[in-house]
């Protein structure tokens, strides 16, 4: 089941639990707008290259649409649609005044030079500048993009609309980015894991963690978990996987990754088969890479007691059912990885006010939002007698449905 089918399935299950009217259900499911643009740029060798860019704006009932822009070869309309819809429910679960959107360009960033990436980003911005905006749709970084990409979008957008720092989040600090934004998703994963473990009478300290994906989110989560006394016993990324049952020295690993561009070859742990990372023995599994990695083929072999979904849609619905029967508790992506969009909201607020916060305030506010979000999800679980995934979906869908109804969707 692909990401769009799985997301639609979860939405419809939540809709049934909430007893939504079928017409309202259809209204909430259909995207507000889908954009597809051709981006042709001159390459450094003088030849022309054409790429297809997408932006799906799913819902704006609760505020401006919000979502990342990813540069990846597998970007396609179905994936972007699914992720835009997930952003709608995620921002509602976090209770921040946004709707959902997502965008991307089908390309391999590693095959393009910095100047080619800049030209591609500027052409894409030229094609969509009149459809995004501070109070309309606010992009952010995602897979294959970064603060520099946002800086180019900000600059290109400002040529048409005047200096507008709040049009994107995840920007460099020098252009109005927020302190704490780089670590926000990983820190949110820490706060989410703390809340989940506390609910089961445990704490981060003394627990064994496995992190699949050691990019921005996975590396920050691993670092912050270690600081709280948790043990990271296995880690993987695109270059390979490593394991040390006594705990990996994350500070040394971070240095190794910076120098060698991956975990492969790290001397403080043993090399293992990357395909085995998800079934390694641990208390908490954190998938922080691509979607669909936990499926019916490997779910039965997973040994973790808890799964904290740092990636978007890492667990297939079939795997959900297998894991539920085993008693594995899954903290769903639309809550667990919402730290990034929450601090993006803080950045947007700071830009609009023209008043920047210190990092301590950012982190304190993030913790408050994550703790409140967990309590709200648990309350929905009790109300509808459901698991955490359906608790999060019913929470998000209910908030969007209420906003849509109040605004008069049938008028």
């Amino acid at each position: 089941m692909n990401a769009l089918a799985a997301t639609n399935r979860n939405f419809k299950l939540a809709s049934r639990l909430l007893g939504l009217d079928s017409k309202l259900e259809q209204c909430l499911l259909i995207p507000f707008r889908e954009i597809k643009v051709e981006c042709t740029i001159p390459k450094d060798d003088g030849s022309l290259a054409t790429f297809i860019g997408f932006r799906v704006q799913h819902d704006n009932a609760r505020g401006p649409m919000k979502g990342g822009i990813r540069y990846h070869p597998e970007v396609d309309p179905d994936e972007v649609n699914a992720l835009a819809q997930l952003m709608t429910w995620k921002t509602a679960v976090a209770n921040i005044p946004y709707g959902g959107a997502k965008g991307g360009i089908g390309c391999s960033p590693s095959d393009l030079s910095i100047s080619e990436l800049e030209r591609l980003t500027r052409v894409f911005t030229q094609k969509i500048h009149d459809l995004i905006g501070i109070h309309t749709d606010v992009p952010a970084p995602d897979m294959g993009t970064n603060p520099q990409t946002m800086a180019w979008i900000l600059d290109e957008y400002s040529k048409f609309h005047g200096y507008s720092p709040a049009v994107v989040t995840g920007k460099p600090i020098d252009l109005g980015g927020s302190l704490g934004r780089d670590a926000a998703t990983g820190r949110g994963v820490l706060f989410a894991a703390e809340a989940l473990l506390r609910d089961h009478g445990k704490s981060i300290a003394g627990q064994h963690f496995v992190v699949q994906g050691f990019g921005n989110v996975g590396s920050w989560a691993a670092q912050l978990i270690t600081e709280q006394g948790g043990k990271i016993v296995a880690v993987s990324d695109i270059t390979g996987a490593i394991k040390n049952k006594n705990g990996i020295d994350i500070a040394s690993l971070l240095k190794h990754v910076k120098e060698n561009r991956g975990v492969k070859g790290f001397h403080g742990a043993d090399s293992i088969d990357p395909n085995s990372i998800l079934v390694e023995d641990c208390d908490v599994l954190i998938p922080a890479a691509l979607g669909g990695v936990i499926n019916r083929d490997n779910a039965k072999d997973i040994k973790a007691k808890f799964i904290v979904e740092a990636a978007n849609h890492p667990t297939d619905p079939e795997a959900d059912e297998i894991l539920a029967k085993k008693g594995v508790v899954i903290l769903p992506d639309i809550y667990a990885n919402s730290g990034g969009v929450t601090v993006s909201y803080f950045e947007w607020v700071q830009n609009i006010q023209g008043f920047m916060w210190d990092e301590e305030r950012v982190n304190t506010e993030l913790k408050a939002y994550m703790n409140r979000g967990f309590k709200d999800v648990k309350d929905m679980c009790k109300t509808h007698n459901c698991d955490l995934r359906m608790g999060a979906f019913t929470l998000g869908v209910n908030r969007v449905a209420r906003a849509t109804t109040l605004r008069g969707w049938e008028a």
Side-chain angles (χ1 to χ4, degrees):
M1 190 180 290
N2 69 19
L4 183 59
T7 305
N8 287 346
R9 175 184 178 275
N10 287 328
F11 164 76
K12 285 175 180 173
L13 286 171
S15 174
R16 300 289 181 273
L17 282 173
L18 293 164
L20 295 187
D21 174 84
S22 60
K23 289 180 181 175
L24 176 58
E25 181 183 288
Q26 192 69 2
C27 172
L28 294 177
L29 202 54
I30 296 171
F32 172 79
R33 184 189 283 132
E34 295 183 50
I35 304 147
K36 180 180 179 182
V37 294
E38 177 191 281
C39 302
T40 300
I41 61 163
K43 297 195 76 180
D44 292 343
D45 62 8
S47 64
L48 293 178
T50 299
F51 305 89
I52 304 299
F54 302 94
R55 187 72 178 169
V56 174
Q57 298 172 328
H58 181 259
D59 191 276
N60 63 355
R62 299 183 71 257
M65 292 165 284
K66 186 87 186 78
I69 291 177
R70 59 175 50 187
Y71 289 0
H72 194 270
E74 293 174 20
V75 166
D76 64 54
D78 270 7
E79 181 194 47
V80 177
N81 251 300
L83 294 171
Q85 188 191 141
L86 278 174
M87 283 302 297
T88 297
W89 316 135
K90 185 186 297 184
T91 52
V93 168
N95 209 11
I96 52 180
Y98 283 144
K102 206 76 175 184
I105 299 176
C107 68
S108 296
S110 58
D111 295 342
L112 299 172
S113 68
I114 294 294
S115 58
E116 288 167 345
L117 284 169
E118 179 176 354
R119 287 195 287 275
L120 180 58
T121 302
R122 289 184 182 277
V123 169
F124 183 54
T125 307
Q126 289 164 17
K127 297 288 179 83
I128 66 167
H129 76 88
D130 55 343
L131 300 171
I132 62 173
I134 295 166
H135 301 293
T136 312
D137 178 2
V138 183
D142 201 290
M143 192 184 300
T145 57
N146 55 33
Q148 178 60 72
T149 319
M150 297 305 106
W152 293 328
I153 294 174
L154 165 59
D155 184 67
E156 197 63 30
Y157 180 87
S158 296
K159 291 176 183 176
F160 296 94
H161 303 276
Y163 183 59
S164 311
V167 75
V168 289
T169 59
K171 303 179 293 293
I173 301 296
D174 291 341
L175 291 176
S178 176
L179 294 170
R181 176 62 185 87
D182 188 44
T185 309
R187 193 177 296 277
V189 168
L190 167 73
F191 293 150
E194 276 182 335
L196 177 65
L197 291 168
R198 186 166 56 243
D199 191 54
H200 287 80
K202 302 174 186 292
S203 66
I204 294 287
Q207 300 295 309
H208 291 69
F209 294 78
V210 166
V211 179
Q212 187 233 8
F214 204 67
N216 174 272
V217 179
S219 61
W220 272 110
Q223 186 177 334
L224 295 165
I225 285 166
T226 302
E227 288 173 9
Q228 295 299 315
K231 262 186 190 176
I232 311 294
V233 294
V235 164
S236 73
D237 67 7
I238 198 167
T239 67
I242 56 171
K243 175 184 177 181
N244 184 338
K245 65 180 181 181
N246 297 317
I248 295 169
D249 182 339
I250 296 299
S252 298
L253 179 59
L254 287 167
K255 188 180 176 190
H256 173 87
V257 168
K258 190 175 181 181
E259 291 170 355
N260 300 277
R261 298 192 174 184
V263 303
K264 187 178 180 182
F266 179 63
H267 294 305
D270 299 322
S271 178
I272 58 170
D273 179 358
N275 294 321
S276 75
I277 190 79
L278 296 166
V279 299
E280 289 295 330
D281 196 10
C282 65
D283 299 304
V284 185
L285 172 62
I286 301 178
L290 294 170
V293 294
I294 300 174
N295 49 52
R296 64 181 177 186
D297 296 328
N298 59 17
K300 63 185 182 300
D301 298 319
I302 285 176
K303 300 177 185 71
K305 303 174 191 73
F306 303 96
I307 296 175
V308 178
E309 295 186 334
N312 287 318
H313 177 61
T315 313
D316 279 352
E318 291 164 314
D320 254 345
E321 292 176 16
I322 295 166
L323 292 164
K325 286 174 186 170
K326 290 177 64 175
V328 178
V329 179
I330 302 174
L331 198 57
D333 50 357
I334 60 169
Y335 163 71
N337 68 23
S338 63
V341 72
T342 302
V343 176
S344 274
Y345 164 59
F346 299 163
E347 181 178 331
W348 181 73
V349 167
Q350 291 169 75
N351 292 155
I352 289 171
Q353 291 182 330
F355 180 80
M356 306 309 286
W357 302 355
D358 61 34
E359 191 165 355
E360 185 181 354
R361 180 177 178 186
V362 171
N363 294 339
T364 301
E365 293 280 356
L366 174 59
K367 187 168 189 174
Y369 270 79
M370 295 301 295
N371 286 341
R372 192 159 53 237
F374 185 79
K375 181 185 178 298
D376 292 345
V377 170
K378 285 290 292 185
D379 287 347
M380 290 301 270
C381 290
K382 289 171 188 169
T383 300
H384 297 288
N385 190 27
C386 60
D387 64 12
L388 289 166
R389 189 178 308 284
M390 274 303 106
F393 265 89
T394 52
L395 176 64
V397 172
N398 190 46
R399 281 176 173 163
V400 178
R402 277 164 46 198
T404 303
T405 303
L406 286 166
R407 289 180 66 153
W409 68 282
E410 290 181 299

